[in-house]
Amino acid sequence: MTPSEAFAAVALIAVGCDNTLNREEARSLRHQLENRSPYRDLPEDAMGDLFDRLLTRLREQGWHELLKQAIAVLSTPQQETALAMAVHLVLSDRQLDAQEKQLLQEMASLLRLPQERSQLIIDVIGVLNRDSLAA
């Protein structure tokens, strides 16, 4: 697995770990990747092929195993960004269910980051995503 495949795998796992994919999550997934290298330069069919391959692996191996494989090939800065992106994606629907919480906990434990750093990333992205102006 290449780093670009691994990063996309983390994004896919973040939106799919609870076995649902709503409109907000799909929109957030697309937005998170299409504004980054190398995805912004990929033609639509290449992105489709990438996600087809990742979805096959996800179905065959489950998200826990795919996450382990993805994290293993990411550099420390890539891991930080992947964690922030995953938190953003799981919170895109303003709900954090048990499966999503488990994903973030497992991901934080797999990263080569100090626990305090992982928790800081999770907390800051949580603050960014809360709907603080809602009545």
Side-chain angles (χ1 to χ4, degrees):
M1 179 179 300
T2 67
S4 62
E5 291 170 327
F7 199 83
V10 170
L12 182 62
I13 292 165
V15 296
C17 71
D18 61 356
N19 297 316
T20 63
L21 180 62
N22 66 37
R23 184 176 299 213
E24 287 178 31
E25 290 171 325
R27 186 175 25 244
S28 290
L29 170 65
R30 185 173 180 97
H31 178 74
Q32 284 298 313
L33 293 180
E34 70 185 6
N35 293 318
R36 298 177 189 276
S37 284
Y39 316 104
R40 67 174 162 239
D41 298 324
L42 288 180
E44 190 101 5
D45 59 332
M47 279 295 283
D49 290 343
L50 171 63
F51 278 106
D52 285 344
R53 289 192 312 274
L54 292 173
L55 281 167
T56 298
R57 291 177 79 165
L58 183 60
R59 282 196 267 328
E60 291 173 352
Q61 301 171 357
W63 70 260
H64 301 276
E65 184 58 33
L66 186 57
L67 181 64
K68 287 179 196 175
Q69 293 171 15
I71 295 297
V73 300
L74 295 174
S75 68
T76 300
Q78 291 167 338
Q79 288 181 10
E80 287 181 326
T81 305
L83 176 60
M85 178 188 61
V87 175
H88 180 72
L89 288 169
V90 300
L91 294 176
S92 66
D93 61 358
R94 308 268 190 268
Q95 299 174 10
L96 183 64
D97 66 28
Q99 293 158 317
E100 292 168 330
K101 188 173 185 169
Q102 179 187 3
L103 164 68
L104 295 179
Q105 290 170 342
E106 188 168 326
M107 187 173 178
S109 73
L110 291 171
L111 299 173
R112 295 180 303 271
L113 301 173
Q115 183 62 33
E116 302 80 29
R117 179 74 172 163
S118 296
Q119 192 58 54
L120 177 65
I121 292 168
I122 292 169
D123 292 344
V124 168
I125 300 302
V127 168
L128 178 67
N129 281 279
R130 75 177 167 214
D131 194 2
S132 61
L133 297 177

